[in-house]
Amino acid sequence: MRPYREFEEYNIEVQEGIKDRYKSIIADLGEDVNREGIVKTPERAAKAMMYLTSGYDVDASEILSGAMFKEDYNEMVIVKNIELYSLCEHHLLPFFGKAHIAYIPNGHIVGLSKLPRVVDVFSRRLQVQERLTHDILECINNTLKPQGVAVVIEASHMCMMMRGVQKQNSTTTTSGFRGQFEHNETRNEFLKLIGSDLS
Ligand SMILES: [Zn+2]
């Protein structure tokens, strides 16, 4: 597995292959691939797509385990409104929104900036919102082994907004809870603190 880093280097052979296929897709869609504004689009699109799926093979648990500190803090830690951008695996269209994460430490805390990074790693793959929620939850639960962990994601899906039913104002909420958060009282406290109407 590659260590996590901002992904700016691309496998050039893979990039060339994707570029060529984008060129035929754009032609099939009815465009003139030699038009000035389009001529470099296959390459740009290949790079963009590779960046947006650069979370494959990145070990998210390594991000957390590299920044764990021994600490006797036993209260809820919440990071809310984490921006999230992902791609739906059914249509290859974006879905985006916010993630809210909470955990109750069990002897260890983690550097706060690492939680958004975990969100990025799992978001930069072809996803469904349900699995994205689960991936983040399980990664934190298995690595940090906290007394409890909670993840709520609220997202808008371009595949719903731009096509088909065109429900432009609908958002989808998914959630997962482990440990202490499986108890109503703790879960409701968290939901209240993030201002969610799930409680
Ligand atoms: Zn979709």
Side-chain angles (χ1 to χ4, degrees), residues 55-116:
Y56 287 112
D57 304 328
V58 179
D59 187 348
S61 63
E62 203 178 88
I63 297 168
L64 296 179
S65 58
M68 280 168 59
F69 309 99
K70 236 171 147 37
E71 194 65 61
D72 285 329
Y73 182 79
N74 288 310
E75 304 298 324
M76 195 184 295
V77 178
I78 302 180
V79 181
K80 62 179 183 177
N81 298 322
I82 301 168
E83 277 180 72
L84 167 160
Y85 300 93
S86 190
L87 286 174
C88 109
E89 67 182 20
H90 300 135
H91 303 96
L92 305 185
L93 288 171
F95 65 94
F96 59 95
K98 290 170 183 172
H100 313 289
I101 299 175
Y103 73 97
I104 301 172
N106 190 13
H108 288 89
I109 56 168
V110 69
L112 290 178
S113 68
K114 305 303 175 190
L115 296 173

Side-chain angles (χ1 to χ4, degrees), residues 77-86 95-102 112 114-123 129 132-137 140 150-156 172-176 190-191 193-196:
V77 178
I78 302 180
V79 181
K80 62 179 183 177
N81 298 322
I82 301 168
E83 277 180 72
L84 167 160
Y85 300 93
S86 190
F95 65 94
F96 59 95
K98 290 170 183 172
H100 313 289
I101 299 175
L112 290 178
K114 305 303 175 190
L115 296 173
R117 286 193 177 187
V118 168
V119 171
D120 282 347
V121 166
F122 289 116
S123 297
Q129 188 178 328
L132 176 59
T133 308
H134 184 260
D135 286 347
I136 297 166
L137 186 80
I140 298 168
V151 176
V152 170
I153 294 178
E154 300 166 312
S156 302
T172 303
T173 304
T174 47
S175 59
F190 162 67
L191 293 173
L193 287 166
I194 63 167
S196 166

Side-chain angles (χ1 to χ4, degrees), residues 140-155:
I140 298 168
N141 200 40
N142 295 334
T143 310
L144 204 53
K145 303 193 192 312
Q147 296 181 58
V149 56
V151 176
V152 170
I153 294 178
E154 300 166 312

